[in-house]
């Protein structure tokens, strides 16, 4: 079973605990931003489910971009490591079009 994008990004963040991912996306017609840190995802614009098995990023979400920041994340002074990466640029071998390893 291929992990969904949310699971892949959470795994990436577990492997890189000094980074915070910010995912910019659209769910239905609603914009959203999700922060992922040390394996946990949280929406900045809509309620986050308490059930950890419910992905914060739905499979049908349109990903606008993924930014990588140095942890800890300070909204007033974020330290951008890499930005504006479309989800297709996060592509590990054997994991389809969405994955947690940057091809850059």
């Amino acid at each position: 079973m291929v992990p969904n994008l949310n699971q892949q990004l959470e795994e990436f963040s577990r492997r890189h605990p000094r980074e915070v991912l910010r995912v910019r996306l659209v769910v239905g017609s609603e914009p959203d931003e999700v922060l992922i840190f040390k394996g946990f995802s949280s929406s900045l614009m809509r309620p986050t489910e308490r059930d950890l098995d419910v992905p914060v990023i739905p499979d049908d979400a349109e990903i606008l971009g993924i930014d990588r920041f140095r942890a800890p994340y300070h909204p007033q002074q974020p330290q951008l490591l890499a930005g504006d990466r479309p989800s297709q640029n996060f592509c590990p071998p054997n994991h389809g079009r969405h994955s947690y390893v940057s091809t850059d």
Side-chain angles (χ1 to χ4, degrees):
M1 179 176 169
V2 176
N4 67 23
L5 178 62
N6 198 100
Q7 292 168 325
Q8 292 173 24
L9 293 174
E10 286 177 348
E11 178 59 28
F12 177 89
S13 73
R14 275 190 285 279
R15 292 181 184 192
H16 298 87
R18 293 189 172 125
E19 294 186 21
V20 177
L21 300 176
R22 180 180 65 189
V23 183
R24 290 171 286 107
L25 60 132
V26 176
V27 179
S29 62
E30 298 292 320
D32 195 5
E33 286 190 12
V34 173
L35 289 184
I36 304 174
F37 180 59
K38 291 187 177 181
F40 295 96
S41 300
S42 182
S43 172
L44 300 178
M45 304 173 89
R46 41 186 193 104
T48 300
E49 290 286 334
R50 295 178 76 158
D51 182 354
L52 296 178
D53 291 331
V54 175
V56 176
I57 301 173
D59 288 336
D60 62 346
E62 176 187 355
I63 307 301
L64 303 175
I66 301 171
D67 303 316
R68 295 170 50 208
F69 294 94
R70 184 177 320 278
Y73 179 75
H74 298 285
Q76 305 306 326
Q77 296 178 329
Q79 295 179 337
L80 184 66
L81 300 173
D84 279 340
R85 295 178 184 269
S87 63
Q88 63 265 28
N89 286 349
F90 279 74
C91 235
N94 305 321
H95 281 87
R97 68 181 181 95
H98 295 300
S99 89
Y100 52 80
V101 178
S102 173
T103 57
D104 293 344

